[in-house]
Amino acid sequence: MRTNLRIIVVTSPNGGDGSLELRLQSKGYQVVTLDNPPSVMGLIYSDPPDVVLMDLATPDQTLLGIIRSLKDDFFFSTIPVIGMIPEWAAEGFDWEEYPLDDFVTTPLSYRDLFTRIALSLRRLRRVFDNNPLTRLPGNTSIQRAIEHAVGKPMGVCYVDLNHFKQYNDVYGFAHGDEVIRMVARIIANAVKEAGEGFAGHIGGDDFVFIVPLEQAEAVSERIIANFTAVVSELFNEEEKARGFYVAHDRKGNEERVPLMGVAISIVPMDSPKIGHYAKVAEVAAELKKMAKKSHRSCYVMDRRK
């Protein structure tokens, strides 16, 4: 079990003496304790934790709203939420109203609490296939979402980065991972702003998002604009002025690599030729070749009938 997991503890004002935080830290967990529930979602959106522990000694609509917001959000729904409930209240607790992943009773048995945390995370790994780097749903969920969209007025959009491998080679995997996380957040936020949709991470620099077809181009433009605004921070002023950086191929030859761009392929799912999951990937691969011919960020939609 990893011991650098991040845990958010949500308590009521003056709801704890700090002993819970100390016991969690003694196990190597990184802990943030919040006694102002309205601030919880902001912190989670900016820096998602691995687990949320919630003091439900006096459950109210604010706490209920936090739980529901997490569980209704495709990006954050996989974060385990463990309720801390008085022993006397556990038997009659409204589990339908509060969609928790698990609970422990208070006064706390720390042995039980640590076990619940470990089991919640192991259960999560078994049930979900989320990418560990970006937290976005992985290939099993992606296939299911695409199959669900077949025949509907939805756009399945494949995203990948131009020249990402060279960037990884020159700047290192740590910087590359930061780029992947950045792109994941840009895509997830753009899909959320559309009001309806799905975002997933195939692996590496390959992503998929699904939105209503009428919004696919607008969401793609938003992703490109946000990526363009952020990508400049990855390069120094000289590289930005030149429009390229210097790398070396496998034979050691110097090459000029354009700054990274994002390529998006949009596949309309109500097209008569789209009958199954494999066909979607085939069409997307054709569009991807077209999109990648440009060294700049762009999207290509299949408009063939």
Side-chain angles (χ1 to χ4, degrees):
M1 182 183 68
R2 286 168 46 215
T3 56
N4 60 343
L5 294 168
R6 295 185 63 258
I7 297 178
I8 286 180
V9 179
V10 183
T11 70
S12 59
N14 303 316
D17 58 5
S19 58
L20 172 57
E21 183 170 329
L22 289 174
R23 292 297 293 269
L24 291 168
Q25 289 173 341
S26 73
K27 290 293 185 179
Y29 297 125
Q30 300 175 32
V31 185
V32 176
T33 299
L34 299 176
D35 60 7
N36 180 27
S39 68
V40 172
M41 292 309 299
L43 179 61
I44 289 175
Y45 285 147
S46 63
D47 194 8
D50 294 287
V51 176
V52 174
L53 296 180
M54 188 166 292
D55 182 357
L56 295 175
T58 54
D60 59 27
Q61 291 301 309
T62 301
L63 297 176
L64 175 60
I66 293 170
I67 300 171
R68 286 181 172 173
S69 293
L70 287 172
K71 295 308 170 184
D72 289 343
D73 190 299
F74 70 84
F75 190 78
F76 298 106
S77 63
T78 57
I79 298 175
V81 179
I82 301 175
M84 297 181 289
I85 301 168
E87 186 173 7
W88 61 266
E91 184 174 350
F93 200 81
D94 191 342
W95 304 113
E96 291 293 331
E97 184 76 1
Y98 288 80
L100 299 168
D101 296 288
D102 209 336
F103 79 100
V104 290
T105 58
T106 56
L108 286 173
S109 161
Y110 287 103
R111 178 186 298 176
D112 286 349
L113 176 61
F114 297 144
T115 300
R116 295 293 186 181
I117 292 171
L119 290 177
S120 291
L121 292 166
R122 289 174 184 169
R123 182 165 57 246
L124 184 66
R125 287 195 291 270
R126 289 196 301 269
V127 176
F128 294 97
D129 63 332
N130 288 52
N131 185 283
L133 179 62
T134 63
R135 300 175 179 273
L136 287 176
N139 289 300
T140 301
S141 299
I142 290 170
Q143 180 172 346
R144 189 182 305 121
I146 291 175
E147 290 173 344
H148 183 71
V150 171
K152 298 177 182 177
M154 304 292 288
V156 171
C157 309
Y158 286 76
V159 182
D160 82 347
L161 302 180
N162 298 330
H163 312 298
F164 178 72
K165 181 183 182 302
Q166 293 98 319
Y167 181 87
N168 239 2
D169 291 342
V170 173
Y171 294 94
F173 290 105
H175 284 90
D177 285 351
E178 285 303 316
V179 171
I180 294 301
R181 280 191 285 263
M182 174 193 76
V183 173
R185 184 58 57 86
I186 288 172
I187 293 171
N189 288 342
V191 171
K192 284 180 190 174
E193 289 178 26
E196 175 185 358
F198 168 89
H201 187 181
I202 298 171
D205 62 322
D206 294 309
F207 297 84
V208 169
F209 68 90
I210 303 173
V211 292
L213 186 58
E214 62 182 13
Q215 296 192 53
E217 290 183 271
V219 173
S220 297
E221 290 172 355
R222 190 176 303 127
I223 290 170
I224 290 171
N226 291 338
F227 179 82
T228 301
V230 175
V231 75
S232 64
E233 301 300 321
L234 304 175
F235 302 97
N236 62 41
E237 294 302 321
E238 183 180 350
E239 290 167 337
K240 287 188 281 187
R242 292 195 312 244
F244 67 87
Y245 59 97
V246 176
H248 294 85
D249 63 22
R250 293 181 179 178
K251 296 181 179 180
N253 299 317
E254 187 176 289
E255 60 178 341
R256 295 181 173 184
V257 182
L259 306 187
M260 273 191 296
V262 60
I264 303 176
S265 310
I266 304 174
V267 182
M269 296 303 289
D270 57 358
S271 170
K273 63 186 175 184
I274 302 296
H276 52 82
Y277 172 81
K279 187 64 177 179
V280 180
E282 178 186 323
V283 173
E286 297 173 7
L287 299 174
K288 176 181 175 179
K289 291 180 181 178
M290 298 171 60
K292 282 188 157 299
K293 287 181 179 179
S294 171
H295 291 306
R296 296 181 177 274
S297 295
C298 70
Y299 69 86
V300 177
M301 176 183 279
D302 186 12
R303 303 184 191 276
R304 297 169 294 183
K305 301 299 182 182

